[in-house]
Amino acid sequence: MALSALVSGAHAADLLTKAPPVPYAETDDFWTRPYLFGDLGRTRLKEMGIDLGLSLGNESVANLSGGDRKTGANAGQLWFGAKLDMGKLAGIPGGTVGLTIVDRFGDNLNSEAGIPALQLTNEVFGRGNILRLTELYYSQKLFDNRLELKGGRLPVGSDFFFGLCEFINLTFCGGQPGNIQGGYIYNWPVSQWGGVAHYNITKEVELSVGVYDANPGYLTTSEPSTYFLPGAPGSHPGAGVLVPVELVYAPSGPLNGTWRLGGWYDNASTIDGGLPGIITTIPGVGGIPDQNLGDQRGRYGIYESIVQRLTVDGPKGQGWYTFLNTTVADHRTSYQDYEIAGGVKHTGTFASRPEDEVGFAVGTTHVNSAALSPNAGGNEIPIEAWYGWQATGWMNLKFDAQYVMNPGGRGFNGAGIKTDNAWVLGMRTTVHF
């Protein structure tokens, strides 16, 4: 998929969830059509205001070194999405109803191989092998589309913390704040009740504000009335209200891009939502009062996210692109207190393969120096490279290699034993049905 097709869209969260950018062709050729099963009437439905999609993303990975043992793991997700244009269906211009359901499956390579990494080496794993309600919302655009109001069951990363997901290591995938603050900021596929306002100050500048119910009960894998139906969990320790604010600059033209600067505040008084490895020695938290600071409340952070096209090498988005993401979380309350990731991608690697791509990224996640951990003050540093082969119009295969230095921050596992750096090979398969 060409990155240029995404950076102009304000609220993409995960490449695995996006329908093919090419229109359905009348010449229904099996190898070039964008959907495995053909059109199946979806073009006509979209003209009527009903846009449907079904995609599979699968990641198969294996460690060649590092961890406790050499082994492999497979994980993936099946995604179904629907958008209803209420202007066409009910005469409400600017109205949209959105529904997304995600079914995840498989295993975590870090656990299977004993790699003590902070970030997943197969990012698609997580939040339970269950069928989750990821989005159910109503959106209304007003004032010539300058203002959008949106509410319902939402993942924060669909509207804030923008992050492409073209890499298999989680350091380079999705919204960074959710990667390092996953105890109270829930990335895809978890959703919670929330409301968002997007306001276009100019054609290229947008201001967004959100309010979310940051309740750890949404992470349940045993209460279908919460994870599959649009219910709400009961009271839960560590619950609070999450308020993100984001300013977006999206320059248009051939060298388009998306530049984001934002921050968040959560009013809860617990730290990291009870994640394993939680800091217990920082004064003023975890039941340890501090004579100078007293009981601390609230947690916060700031971030930037840049995706920018660098060259125009062809008519279908071919060219070089770069990205840079930085997140810094509240040092008082965060086990992982900052993450930085950057990289490049080229679309149209060969003249004969205009939709093939190559990518490279390097990043780091830092463990708070105040943590009670042998990894305190350390940096986990992953490096990743891949080649993406657009095998057919409806299937992409991405061949991937990762090298994770100092997994866990300083390379120590849960027993305090030093482990080797990890080499991981993998392949991501994306199929649009």
Side-chain angles (χ1 to χ4, degrees), residues 59-61 72-76 104-112 120-126 129:
E59 294 172 356
S60 299
V61 288
N74 185 81
R104 282 194 163 175
F105 56 88
D107 299 305
N108 176 8
L109 179 65
N110 290 352
S111 298
E112 297 297 312
L120 293 168
T121 48
N122 53 337
E123 57 77 27
V124 75
F125 176 84
N129 291 343

Side-chain angles (χ1 to χ4, degrees), residues 207-294:
L207 177 65
S208 301
V209 179
V211 179
Y212 296 86
D213 177 20
N215 188 328
Y218 289 108
L219 303 180
T220 178
T221 58
S222 60
E223 297 293 336
S225 61
T226 298
Y227 70 71
F228 183 66
L229 298 175
S235 60
H236 195 286
V241 176
L242 174 69
V243 179
V245 179
E246 184 176 272
L247 186 66
V248 181
Y249 170 57
S252 56
L255 298 180
N256 55 4
T258 305
W259 297 60
R260 299 171 182 269
L261 177 65
W264 74 88
Y265 179 79
D266 179 276
N267 68 351
S269 59
T270 58
I271 55 177
D272 271 357
L275 286 178
I278 194 169
I279 304 168
T280 58
T281 59
I282 296 179
V285 296
I288 306 174
D290 182 272
Q291 293 181 353
N292 296 320
L293 299 177

Side-chain angles (χ1 to χ4, degrees), residues 30-357:
F30 178 77
W31 300 107
T32 60
R33 67 193 190 192
Y35 306 105
L36 172 60
F37 298 138
D39 186 65
L40 297 177
R42 75 185 76 201
T43 299
R44 175 58 181 154
L45 286 173
K46 188 171 183 178
E47 292 172 352
M48 296 169 56
I50 303 173
D51 190 4
L52 303 177
L54 180 65
S55 297
L56 172 69
N58 188 82
E59 294 172 356
S60 299
V61 288
N63 72 314
L64 303 184
S65 67
D68 296 334
R69 53 198 171 276
K70 295 181 177 65
T71 188
N74 185 81
Q77 67 179 15
L78 185 66
W79 161 84
F80 169 79
K83 287 189 176 180
L84 308 181
D85 184 334
M86 301 309 290
K88 294 180 179 180
L89 295 171
I92 307 175
T96 302
V97 174
L99 170 68
T100 304
I101 297 174
V102 173
D103 186 12
R104 282 194 163 175
F105 56 88
D107 299 305
N108 176 8
L109 179 65
N110 290 352
S111 298
E112 297 297 312
I115 301 172
L118 299 170
Q119 303 299 326
L120 293 168
T121 48
N122 53 337
E123 57 77 27
V124 75
F125 176 84
R127 302 307 197 187
N129 291 343
I130 55 176
L131 190 67
R132 276 193 180 275
L133 176 66
T134 299
E135 292 180 314
L136 179 59
Y137 65 85
Y138 181 80
S139 167
Q140 182 64 55
K141 293 184 177 180
L142 302 166
F143 309 118
D144 295 325
N145 295 336
R146 294 193 67 177
L147 174 65
E148 180 187 9
L149 300 177
K150 183 178 181 181
R153 283 288 295 262
L154 301 165
V156 184
S158 288
D159 292 273
F160 298 90
F161 317 147
F162 175 83
L164 297 175
C165 196
E166 299 191 296
F167 290 78
I168 296 180
N169 189 293
L170 186 62
T171 309
F172 314 116
C173 174
Q176 272 193 344
N179 292 349
I180 66 173
Q181 298 296 302
Y184 69 98
I185 298 177
Y186 314 137
N187 280 351
W188 183 283
V190 177
S191 66
Q192 66 262 60
W193 285 102
V196 181
H198 299 292
Y199 181 71
N200 291 307
I201 301 172
T202 69
K203 183 179 179 181
E204 295 183 338
V205 179
E206 179 184 78
L207 177 65
S208 301
V209 179
V211 179
Y212 296 86
D213 177 20
N215 188 328
Y218 289 108
L219 303 180
T220 178
T221 58
S222 60
E223 297 293 336
S225 61
T226 298
Y227 70 71
F228 183 66
L229 298 175
S235 60
H236 195 286
V241 176
L242 174 69
V243 179
V245 179
E246 184 176 272
L247 186 66
V248 181
Y249 170 57
S252 56
L255 298 180
N256 55 4
T258 305
W259 297 60
R260 299 171 182 269
L261 177 65
W264 74 88
Y265 179 79
D266 179 276
N267 68 351
S269 59
T270 58
I271 55 177
D272 271 357
L275 286 178
I278 194 169
I279 304 168
T280 58
T281 59
I282 296 179
V285 296
I288 306 174
D290 182 272
Q291 293 181 353
N292 296 320
L293 299 177
D295 291 334
Q296 300 184 41
R297 185 173 184 85
R299 42 201 177 182
Y300 52 86
I302 59 174
Y303 63 94
E304 62 77 19
S305 178
I306 299 171
V307 181
Q308 179 62 49
R309 187 172 186 177
L310 301 177
T311 66
V312 178
D313 297 344
K316 297 178 65 177
Q318 291 92 343
W320 283 100
Y321 301 82
T322 188
F323 74 92
L324 176 65
N325 299 324
T326 305
T327 299
V328 180
D330 176 11
H331 181 75
R332 304 168 309 143
T333 66
S334 305
Y335 182 75
Q336 301 173 42
D337 56 2
Y338 72 76
E339 185 171 272
I340 305 171
V344 294
K345 185 189 80 166
H346 188 265
T347 299
T349 310
F350 304 107
S352 60
R353 303 289 309 171
E355 296 184 15
D356 285 8
E357 301 174 317

